[in-house]
Amino acid sequence: RNNLTYLRFIKSYLETNPEKSVLIRDRDKLVKNIDSKWSNYEYWFKHIAPIGITRKKAEDLFKRESGIESMKKQLNNLRFILNENN
């Protein structure tokens, strides 16, 4: 059921006829934004993360708080549409 919902979402997006150049620009922008957010992780971990949190839990929390999780989903969607296997 989730796959069908996902494909319907992609289909409805493609029906808007997005230009490939726009998709590529958006993909590149997301990659830069994700990299930029990750560059702040060490500072966040040392100064902002809850005391005593494990590295794995801290990464998960950071991804949620910084929006990396949703940006990665968007990036995966764009890569799917562009037929990239990354």
Side-chain angles (χ1 to χ4, degrees), residues 3 17 19 24 30 34 47 51:
N3 288 338
N17 295 318
E19 292 185 29
I24 292 170
L30 279 168
I34 291 168
H47 302 286
I51 296 172

Side-chain angles (χ1 to χ4, degrees), residues 47-59:
H47 302 286
I48 300 170
I51 296 172
I53 192 169
T54 65
R55 178 69 74 164
K56 173 67 177 136
K57 287 184 180 182
E59 285 182 12

Side-chain angles (χ1 to χ4, degrees), residues 40-50 53-55 58-59:
N40 296 320
Y41 174 73
E42 285 304 320
Y43 177 86
W44 179 89
F45 184 73
K46 290 177 183 174
H47 302 286
I48 300 170
I53 192 169
T54 65
R55 178 69 74 164
E59 285 182 12

Side-chain angles (χ1 to χ4, degrees), residues 11-29:
K11 179 181 178 275
S12 65
Y13 178 74
L14 290 174
E15 287 173 349
T16 66
N17 295 318
E19 292 185 29
K20 186 173 183 176
S21 62
V22 172
L23 296 173
I24 292 170
R25 185 193 70 214
D26 289 348
R27 179 206 56 204
D28 293 345
K29 186 176 175 182

Side-chain angles (χ1 to χ4, degrees), residues 63-74:
K63 284 191 272 188
R64 278 192 309 275
E65 286 185 356
S66 65
I68 289 175
E69 269 186 359
S70 63
M71 286 189 286
K72 281 195 167 193
K73 287 178 186 175
Q74 293 170 3

